[in-house]
Amino acid sequence: MRVILHIDMDCFFSAVEVRENPELKGLPVIVGGGGGGGAAAESGRKIRGVVSTCSYEAREYGIHSAIPLSKAYELCPDAIVLPVRMSIYKQVSVRIMEILRKYADKIEQVGIDEAFLDITSRVQNWDAAREYAVAIKSKIEEKEGLTSSIGIGPNKTIAKIASDFVKPNGLTVVEQENVQEFLAPLPVKKIHGIGPKTEAILASIGIKTVRQLASCDVQKLVSRFGSKYGWRLHRAANGIDESEVEEKGVRKSLSSEKTLDENTRDLAIINRYIDELAESVHGRLLEEGEGLLFKTVAIKVKFDDFSIHTRAKTHRSFHSDLRTLVKTAKELISEFVIGASAREGDVMVAEAGAEADVGMGMRMGIGMGMGMGIRLVGVRVSNLGVIDKKQRRIV
Ligand code: TTP
Ligand code: MG
């Protein structure tokens, strides 16, 4: 028997904003679009964009994720509307995941503010699991000042439904023997993966609750939804889910390198290779899952004598744009190839001739491997972060 925990932070973006601006505590706070809110609306400007999330106080007015900001403002003219500051939420998310990692054998992050933890080997029974969850919640509150909701069950489907059962600051434990009883009265949309479309089809055949879905003949579901999805619905409704908590192979870095057509030290030529390599790395950053962010950019250079050298720069915050990648890589390569006293060095090389260059260049602190041609260059990004799939935006 497994013990699976699902944790979801409460009104995440908005809770982070309130933490950063404590005077907002207890107020209806909306995070979304480009911000603006009261002043923008009063001056007659149209508020653009949608609500990313909002505080629980704002939810009392009927505001929720994905509705237009203009509608939200109608529902609650006093709401404080703040712009999305993705890089801050991302940093908080990374820190929360680091905390969680210590509490599980396996952890699967499934969004910016949620994760599954397999805690089977950490707890002896369901009571211990509850205490374990309390400890996790307290640790996150202590370290990050944020509340979360946790669900615990014998599999991921149950844990996920349970974490949503009491919110905010909830904790719901569904023991194996209580699974059917817990699921039965819930509306089918509570099962992860059942969206409005499936919900409507199920309603059309008279199925509204999980109890009804669980007792529906699986062949009927298969004929409606196909074999794979039909069986999945049937199993989920009966509380069965054998899927593992999958520790996603978190990518540590991405790189691309190229041997030059001809060995050279000509920066203009090398920079053309850098453009190409950076574009390739950047393309793969975007392809990777929902997209990745980077903090560190590194370059690699191989000289005539096959010696390999690298230089790296770590930015303070995450970036995702090609421009920053190219600019950083070019700065690094130019420092590296030309050195601090670049122009002087170049002249000296021209006059001194190939033999003497290396030693003199080195002694004078000019570029690395002075006099030697470069035969290969590479660009690498590391210290990666993910772009939130719900948000679908790049910082
Ligand atoms: P959720 O966990 O779905 O929502 P939440 O944390 O704001 O609120 P809850 O207490 O109900 O868990 O999403 C996490 C973050 O993802 C959320 O803070 C903002 C972002 N998000 C969007 O940007 N757009 C959306 O449509 C949704 C649902 C979330
Ligand atoms: Mg959340």
Side-chain angles (χ1 to χ4, degrees), residues 124-274:
Q124 298 293 324
N125 52 47
W126 296 105
D127 284 341
R130 178 182 291 277
E131 277 172 34
Y132 201 70
V134 170
I136 293 177
K137 281 159 66 75
S138 314
K139 180 61 90 183
I140 295 176
E141 239 186 298
E142 174 202 323
K143 294 268 181 201
E144 293 296 329
L146 297 170
T147 63
S148 57
S149 296
I150 288 182
I152 294 179
N155 61 48
K156 283 160 71 172
T157 297
I158 309 290
K160 168 102 182 160
I161 298 173
S163 72
D164 189 48
F165 195 65
V166 182
K167 237 182 182 307
N169 206 3
L171 171 53
T172 305
V173 181
V174 184
E175 303 183 16
Q176 176 71 67
E177 60 183 36
N178 298 332
V179 164
Q180 301 290 348
E181 191 191 330
F182 172 71
L183 289 180
L186 300 175
V188 290
K189 67 170 182 223
K190 291 286 174 184
I191 293 177
H192 184 57
I194 298 190
K197 247 184 172 170
T198 306
E199 191 187 4
I201 298 173
L202 288 172
S204 75
I205 53 173
I207 297 176
K208 292 204 167 135
T209 65
V210 180
R211 178 185 288 110
Q212 291 166 325
L213 184 58
S215 59
C216 176
D217 179 17
V218 66
Q219 286 314 323
K220 199 169 166 187
L221 296 175
V222 167
S223 66
R224 287 274 170 165
F225 299 101
S227 168
K228 199 171 162 201
Y229 192 42
W231 271 100
R232 229 207 91 207
L233 291 177
H234 175 75
R235 294 164 64 78
N238 283 282
I240 304 164
D241 172 12
E242 266 132 38
S243 66
E244 296 281 332
V245 171
E246 272 179 66
E247 184 88 38
K248 298 259 163 58
V250 184
R251 193 180 261 294
K252 297 261 166 16
S253 69
L254 257 173
S255 64
S256 189
E257 56 183 48
K258 196 158 187 185
T259 303
L260 278 46
D261 291 332
E262 254 176 77
N263 296 4
T264 182
R265 275 193 93 88
D266 184 329
L267 199 55
I269 297 176
I270 293 169
N271 275 341
R272 284 206 287 278
Y273 282 92
I274 295 289

Side-chain angles (χ1 to χ4, degrees), residues 82-139:
L82 302 170
V84 175
R85 296 193 293 163
M86 202 54 188
S87 59
I88 295 179
Y89 317 139
K90 181 63 219 164
Q91 285 166 30
V92 178
S93 165
V94 167
R95 288 201 299 269
I96 290 170
M97 296 302 155
E98 274 166 14
I99 294 172
L100 293 175
R101 196 159 288 282
K102 300 198 182 92
Y103 285 91
D105 299 330
K106 279 190 283 180
I107 166 168
E108 178 181 345
Q109 183 176 354
V110 282
I112 192 163
D113 77 331
E114 56 178 304
F116 288 104
L117 278 68
D118 189 327
I119 57 166
T120 312
S121 76
R122 311 281 180 117
V123 292
Q124 298 293 324
N125 52 47
W126 296 105
D127 284 341
R130 178 182 291 277
E131 277 172 34
Y132 201 70
V134 170
I136 293 177
K137 281 159 66 75
S138 314
K139 180 61 90 183

Side-chain angles (χ1 to χ4, degrees), residues 7-13 53 56 59 112-114 147 149 167 390:
I7 179 164
D8 189 309
M9 302 304 296
D10 299 326
C11 55
F12 186 52
F13 294 3
T53 192
Y56 277 78
R59 291 180 198 197
I112 192 163
D113 77 331
E114 56 178 304
T147 63
S149 296
K167 237 182 182 307
K390 287 175 188 159

